[in-house]
Amino acid sequence: VTWSYIGLINGVNEQALIDVFRLFVLYIFIYFLMTMTLSSVNNLDQCKIDFFMYVVGMVLSIMILAFAINTFFHLELIPEYIASNLLARVGVHDGYIQIISHNVGMLGFFGVFALSKLILSSGRKSVLMIISSLLVLIAIVVSGRRAIMLVVPLTPFLVMLILSFSGELLHRKIKSLFGFLVKASLALLLILLSFYIFSYEQLVLFFERFFDALNEGVDSPRSSQYRALLAGFKDNWVFGSGFGGELDLVRNMERPWVFELSYIQLLFNIGLFGAIYFVILNVLYIIHASKIISSVNDNSTYYSLMAGAIGMLLISVTNPYVSSSFDFLVILSVIPFVINHIKHNKYKC
């Protein structure tokens, strides 16, 4: 609300302010009510949460893989109007497939969750857990989304970070975390090889594109946005432009105040003062949540949900998931859900 008012003072587009209010006030309030309601449901134990996560992850992965296979092999089994309504666009390029859909971004959340559960859960792994994890990993590779493929392999380190916040790291087997990292890396490599085993050149092209994400050229859209947003930040570096601020560079003609780089745009909108407040608030909240989770004996699901949420925040560095999309804002309700669920229910599987 504060930075919407700053935007109003700076004369931003009225439609932008309406859009921001709808996104960061109305939908946040709806997600707050949803979070408080779901986390207070009696007998919603961790097993049911796990089951939901695995099933949704499988359904999402199967849907994405179906669109990819349908396009790659020219099967025409999925009607065009279905793909259009689901905003599922599949591009087949040299060395990779790229799927552009609102649903693809959530693979990062389910991928980090699944790997975190494999790391933290003790005892025998369920068939559902293994199948869901494999399908999500395959869908991530096929999707061609570089940010997701960069963050998901970092899951063991995310788990270690969260455990260090909670003080549980010393009680876990650090060796097993690094061992899992090696196994997960080999599994991802095998999945890649299974797709490109008949074409070495295509595999090389895939890796070239993968590492290009770390070094985008000066003419890339994201690099241009980065420079423009940083220049705009320097003009209003204390409190920012306010929400709805625009630049000469336009990425979205329908919503010219929206850019792909979530946090650089946030810096442009709320300035240094707001950015420092945002970082401190989120870090303290994550540490607080980690300590609450550590008070529960059977806490692998809670830690995995938290790792998935943090993973999505990292993926948003180069994607507009948490800065301009109401459906991805549900990620911001994950950690509050975990905290409230622990306070109301301490059910074990």
Side-chain angles (χ1 to χ4, degrees):
V1 175
T2 300
W3 275 278
S4 294
Y5 179 70
I6 292 175
L8 183 63
I9 294 175
N10 290 332
V12 302
N13 189 316
E14 291 183 3
Q15 183 59 43
L17 291 178
I18 294 173
D19 185 64
V20 168
F21 180 83
R22 175 179 60 86
L23 186 67
F24 293 117
V25 178
L26 180 60
Y27 282 116
I28 288 292
F29 180 70
I30 292 173
Y31 285 140
F32 170 78
L33 293 179
M34 181 185 70
T35 298
M36 295 300 102
T37 301
L38 288 177
S39 59
S40 303
V41 172
N42 291 328
N43 299 319
L44 180 62
D45 59 29
Q46 293 184 60
C47 279
K48 293 176 182 175
I49 296 174
D50 289 344
F51 180 80
F52 171 81
M53 292 294 293
Y54 294 142
V55 170
V56 174
M58 287 177 60
V59 171
L60 176 61
S61 301
I62 291 172
M63 182 181 70
I64 290 171
L65 290 172
F67 280 115
I69 293 172
N70 184 70
T71 301
F72 187 79
F73 292 104
H74 307 287
L75 299 179
E76 298 183 357
L77 296 177
I78 301 177
E80 180 60 30
Y81 72 88
I82 294 180
S84 178
N85 289 332
L86 292 175
L87 301 176
R89 290 171 289 168
V90 181
V92 180
H93 310 281
D94 289 336
Y96 67 96
I97 298 173
Q98 186 173 28
I99 301 176
I100 301 175
S101 169
H102 288 307
N103 300 313
V104 172
M106 290 303 293
L107 284 174
F109 176 61
F110 289 103
V112 173
F113 173 86
L115 292 182
S116 298
K117 279 293 293 185
L118 288 172
I119 293 171
L120 294 171
S121 59
S122 57
R124 188 175 180 180
K125 316 299 181 187
S126 69
V127 175
L128 181 62
M129 176 193 294
I130 295 172
I131 294 176
S132 178
S133 300
L134 286 174
L135 283 174
V136 170
L137 288 177
I138 293 172
I140 287 172
V141 173
V142 172
S143 71
R145 309 308 297 177
R146 292 174 294 182
I148 299 176
M149 288 190 286
L150 284 170
V151 170
V152 170
L154 298 177
T155 299
F157 298 104
L158 285 178
V159 171
M160 290 179 65
L161 178 66
I162 296 172
L163 291 177
S164 65
F165 284 153
S166 66
E168 283 198 60
L169 183 60
L170 296 177
H171 301 288
R172 303 275 183 168
K173 295 181 179 179
I174 299 179
K175 183 179 179 181
S176 65
L177 292 175
F178 282 103
F180 183 86
L181 176 62
V182 173
K183 294 176 183 177
S185 300
L186 289 174
L188 286 171
L189 184 60
L190 287 174
I191 291 172
L192 281 174
L193 291 175
S194 68
F195 283 103
Y196 297 99
I197 192 170
F198 298 110
S199 177
Y200 171 76
E201 292 78 10
Q202 297 295 316
L203 182 62
V204 171
L205 287 172
F206 177 90
F207 276 106
E208 285 180 352
R209 179 180 177 274
F210 180 78
F211 287 107
D212 278 347
L214 299 173
N215 185 28
E216 295 230 21
V218 294
D219 295 326
S220 71
R222 284 182 172 86
S223 296
S224 300
Q225 291 174 64
Y226 174 80
R227 291 193 298 270
L229 287 167
L230 201 58
F233 161 71
K234 291 177 181 177
D235 293 336
N236 299 280
W237 65 274
V238 179
F239 294 106
S241 67
F243 286 124
E246 298 180 20
L247 299 168
D248 292 334
L249 176 69
V250 176
R251 181 60 174 165
N252 187 326
M253 296 301 296
E254 296 180 357
R255 301 165 69 197
W257 55 87
V258 171
F259 300 90
E260 291 175 285
L261 308 175
S262 290
Y263 302 120
I264 302 299
Q265 178 180 346
L266 194 63
L267 184 65
F268 165 65
N269 289 147
I270 66 178
L272 186 62
F273 178 81
I276 292 174
Y277 174 77
F278 176 82
V279 171
I280 292 176
L281 181 66
N282 280 277
V283 170
L284 291 178
Y285 195 62
I286 289 172
I287 294 174
H288 173 65
S290 300
K291 292 182 178 179
I292 290 178
I293 294 173
S294 66
S295 66
V296 183
N297 291 328
D298 185 11
N299 53 23
S300 62
T301 298
Y302 296 134
Y303 278 131
S304 299
L305 285 170
M306 192 168 173
I310 295 175
M312 282 300 295
L313 293 178
L314 292 176
I315 292 169
S316 296
V317 170
T318 58
N319 292 278
Y321 294 148
V322 297
S323 62
S324 62
S325 181
F326 79 92
D327 42 358
F328 286 101
L329 278 180
V330 70
I331 292 299
L332 301 181
S333 66
V334 171
I335 297 178
F337 169 83
V338 168
I339 293 175
N340 202 53
H341 188 268
I342 291 174
K343 291 180 177 179
H344 285 83
N345 310 284
K346 291 193 177 182
Y347 298 108
K348 299 180 179 180
C349 288

